[in-house]
Amino acid sequence: MARPDVESVSGSLIHLAELPVEGLSEVELPVAGELQSVLLRRVGARVQAWLNICPHAGRRMDYAPGKFLLDQGRLVCAAHGASFELEQGVCVAGPCRGASLVPLVVVIG
């Protein structure tokens, strides 16, 4: 039986209590059989997940593990300055404008 305080991301379990109530965090999870850095965004009980990879050059979005730049509510790539809105993960400014972060399915169980 699934516990209500656990998130399932690509078959991995993450306890909600380990995520900040508001904001971004990073975890390493198996995705398609390979360990990947995953960007998590929690807003209350809602959790979104993307691969922690900028579509511009394939580099991580964080400037240090789990440390992200935010500007006016947008995620900013630490390497190239691309800005992403956080509802859909779409790049709205910078070298990859119109591209999107790769989303992952989050199942609350």
Side-chain angles (χ1 to χ4, degrees), residues 67-90:
K67 305 291 184 185
F68 297 92
L69 299 173
L70 293 171
D71 182 34
Q72 298 178 16
R74 294 182 178 160
L75 172 63
V76 178
C77 175
H80 299 101
S83 294
F84 297 81
E85 61 81 25
L86 289 171
E87 282 305 310
Q88 301 297 318
V90 175

Side-chain angles (χ1 to χ4, degrees), residues 3-61:
R3 293 180 20 200
D5 65 333
V6 175
E7 293 290 327
S8 174
V9 180
S10 298
S12 298
L13 297 179
I14 301 167
H15 294 271
L16 276 176
E18 295 173 5
L19 299 177
V21 176
E22 301 288 328
L24 302 174
S25 55
E26 183 269 346
V27 294
E28 298 272 329
L29 297 173
V31 177
E34 187 175 325
L35 197 60
Q36 297 280 338
S37 175
V38 175
L39 166 63
L40 298 171
R41 176 182 182 232
R42 179 175 175 191
V43 179
R46 180 176 171 227
V47 178
Q48 295 171 276
W50 299 275
L51 290 180
N52 185 19
I53 300 171
C54 180
H56 173 243
R59 296 187 57 187
R60 289 174 62 123
M61 298 291 294

